[in-house]
Structures are given as structure tokens and as C-alpha cells.
Amino acid sequence: MADKQISLPGKLINGGIAGLIGVTCVFPIDLAKTRLQNQQNGSRLYTSMSDCLIKTIRSEGYFGMYRGAAVNLTLVTPEKAIKLAANDFFRHHLSKDGKLTILKEMLAGCGAGTCQVIITTPMEMLKIQLQDAGRIAAQRKLMPETVAAGAVEAKSPTAMQLTRELLREKGIAGLYKGLGATLLRDVPFSIIYFPLFANLNQLGKRGVDGPAPFYVSFLAGCTAGSTAAVAVNPVDVIKTRLQSLNRGSSEDTYSGVTDCIRKILRNEGPSAFLKGAYCRALVIAPLFGIAQVVYFLGVGEFLLSLLPKKDN
């Protein structure tokens, strides 16, 4: 039936707009998360999220908090569009054969998370290098003993410079370093987030078929997003470490996921896997709350309705 059809272009536009608005609002917190997760024992420059943001502003200025934002704003549009639209697409088709069970909801989330990784991995790879560049620069000034002896101080790279360097040295695989860890983070995140959001949102619906109020969708998105974010934070720490190219002289390097887990447990203890969890929850909660409000308002569908319709 027509009322059961979904507008895939509309969903893609909704996801893109939600991503742009959300990232602009929470990017400084995401930068703090990356820098906190990359800190290892013996090279701790920041004690908390607020300490990280204050030191970043002091050493790099206000716009230092937005290092890597251009990459994120450029690529988060297709990334969020793919993730949110893919979940709707899979849910729509899985519900054709009957009731959409929790298992089917989780399967739809799994499909959405897998699809988004195509865009997510290169975006995260570039973003992390740009976000972490300021930490290395600050270490040179405040903790010079943590920087490798004889290392030459370089200007902060741009996204294009990083892309060219990675492609020249390692080919397309260079942009997909940490792919396994990204899959291990984003697929479980989507498996947790989408069913949890759908069921929380269902509780606030007006009647059987009526939509939930926008504030219910916002709160459901925030709650489901923060829950899923904290649940997969250990994998996010591993991914961040694997994708970081610059290290201090006292910091470990890793050959893969298992090597990273082993070294973190040995040198920093289990609590290291929760580094940045608070920041990550603060990033993801409003990001997905905003996304669900944009979906509720039907911005994409409204924009598409303004286009001239072709006569049959």
C-alpha cells in the first residue's frame, strides 16, 4: 500500500541535515574524546573533558576545538544519511513478512551499521589525525620528554595533505586502516541504538497509529544514543588508537585489534577502555536526538514536495 512506502531520498536528506546540525553542535566534545582516548600512561596532558577544552583554547585558540570539522561536516552528511536511511529501508522490508520483532529490528540495525562503515572509516581516519595534531603539538611544549627524540615539528596537516600522503604510501587501504575496529564499533552500536530508540519512541506515541511528539523522539534519541555509545566505548578506544598515526616516544604502537587490547590491558588496565566514554555519550546523545527530530519534522520529504512533479 502507498502509506507503507518509504521515501528513500527524503530519508537521505533527513539524515544529511541531521548530521550537519548535530556535528556543528557537538564537535568540540568529540575532539576532547579523541584526545582523551589517545592519551597513554606517562603522557597524560589532559585530566578531563573540561581541562582538554580549556587547554585547547589556550594553546590553539577557539577554532582549535574545530580541528577536523571540515572533514566531518563533508563526510558526515553521506554517513548519517546512509545509516539512518538504511535502517529505515531494512526495517521496511523486514516488516513486510509480518510483525517487526526485536530480532528483526536488531538485524536492520546491523545492516545499517555495516553500510555506513564505507564512509565512516576514511572520515574517522582523517578526523582523528587532525583532532590529535594539537595534542602532539601541546606535548612538545608542555611535556617534551614524551615526544620522540629528533622528531621534527611539522605544521598541522590539512585533510587533503593527509589523504594524498596516505594514498601515496599505502593506497586506498591507508584510508581504511582500522576498518575491523570500526565495524566492531558501528555494527553493535546500530544493533543497540535502533531497536532501543524505536521501542522508547513507541512508549510516547499518541494512540495506536499516532506519531510520538517531537520531544519524545528527541529524548528517545538521546537516551538510546548515549546508551549505545557507552556500551561500545571500549571498541571506540581501540579504533582511535589504531587509526592514530602520530605517537609520543613513550606511547605504544599497535599491529592490530588483539595487540591493542593486550597492550592496553597490560600497561593501562581495564579502566582505559572507558576513556572518553562520558564525552562520547555527550556527543552521541544530542547527535541522534537532533536526527530524530529532523526525521519527525519530515524536512527531507517537505523539500522534495517543493520540486516540480513530472506529468505522467
Side-chain angles (χ1 to χ4, degrees):
M1 290 175 66
D3 61 343
K4 290 189 177 181
Q5 295 301 309
I6 63 168
S7 170
L8 194 56
K11 298 296 184 186
L12 288 168
I13 294 171
N14 285 336
I17 292 172
L20 287 171
I21 296 171
V23 166
T24 302
C25 294
V26 303
F27 193 83
I29 305 173
D30 188 55
L31 178 135
K33 179 214 67 138
T34 296
R35 293 188 178 184
L36 288 169
Q37 288 182 338
N38 259 333
Q39 290 189 137
Q40 299 183 25
N41 289 349
S43 61
R44 289 190 65 200
L45 183 62
Y46 312 112
T47 58
S48 64
M49 179 186 74
S50 58
D51 181 55
C52 178
L53 293 175
I54 290 167
K55 287 179 177 175
T56 298
I57 293 171
R58 284 176 180 171
S59 62
E60 304 166 57
Y62 175 79
F63 289 106
M65 295 191 299
Y66 280 87
R67 280 179 179 266
V71 172
N72 227 30
L73 287 170
T74 302
L75 294 180
V76 78
T77 302
E79 184 257 323
K80 281 290 178 289
I82 289 171
K83 182 173 190 163
L84 296 169
N87 178 70
D88 280 348
F89 176 82
F90 288 126
R91 287 174 68 90
H92 173 70
H93 284 280
L94 287 169
S95 64
K96 283 183 175 179
D97 298 326
K99 185 182 177 182
L100 194 63
T101 62
I102 288 289
L103 184 60
K104 287 182 178 180
E105 289 183 328
M106 293 172 70
L107 188 60
C110 177
T114 304
C115 290
Q116 81 164 94
V117 167
I118 300 167
I119 298 291
T120 302
T121 306
M123 177 185 77
E124 293 273 335
M125 181 68 186
L126 295 172
K127 184 192 73 173
I128 285 169
Q129 311 319 314
L130 295 167
Q131 285 182 331
D132 206 41
R135 181 181 70 92
I136 300 298
Q139 278 184 228
R140 289 180 184 277
K141 296 176 184 177
L142 304 176
M143 304 172 66
E145 70 279 3
T146 65
V147 179
V152 179
E153 184 172 359
K155 291 182 179 179
S156 297
T158 65
M160 286 305 298
Q161 288 171 338
L162 280 169
T163 303
R164 283 196 297 267
E165 185 179 337
L166 285 167
L167 289 174
R168 184 176 65 249
E169 293 180 2
K170 300 180 181 180
I172 194 70
L175 291 173
Y176 279 87
K177 184 179 180 183
L179 174 62
T182 307
L183 277 167
L184 287 174
R185 181 196 68 173
D186 288 347
V187 172
F189 176 93
S190 295
I191 289 173
I192 296 168
Y193 170 77
F194 285 112
L196 183 55
F197 166 76
N199 285 278
L200 288 174
N201 196 52
Q202 183 76 22
L203 296 175
K205 281 193 171 182
R206 294 168 176 155
V208 179
D209 299 317
F214 80 92
Y215 58 85
V216 172
S217 295
F218 177 77
L219 291 173
C222 288
T223 303
S226 57
T227 302
V230 173
V232 302
N233 194 76
V235 188
D236 191 52
V237 172
I238 295 166
K239 182 197 73 65
T240 300
R241 296 283 183 92
L242 289 175
Q243 290 185 320
S244 295
L245 300 176
N246 295 317
R247 295 284 178 206
S249 59
S250 62
E251 294 180 335
D252 288 322
T253 55
Y254 312 103
S255 60
V257 173
T258 54
D259 180 55
C260 184
I261 294 171
R262 186 170 60 250
K263 286 180 177 176
I264 290 175
L265 284 173
R266 185 182 66 216
N267 300 329
E268 303 171 62
S271 63
F273 290 108
L274 292 177
K275 285 184 176 181
Y278 176 63
C279 295
R280 182 163 164 76
L282 285 179
V283 169
I284 297 297
L287 198 59
F288 280 89
I290 290 167
Q292 298 305 338
V293 170
V294 172
Y295 261 50
F296 173 86
L297 296 174
V299 177
E301 290 81 358
F302 172 74
L303 292 175
L304 289 173
S305 71
L306 299 178
L307 295 175
K309 293 179 174 58
K310 293 181 179 179
D311 295 327
N312 291 329

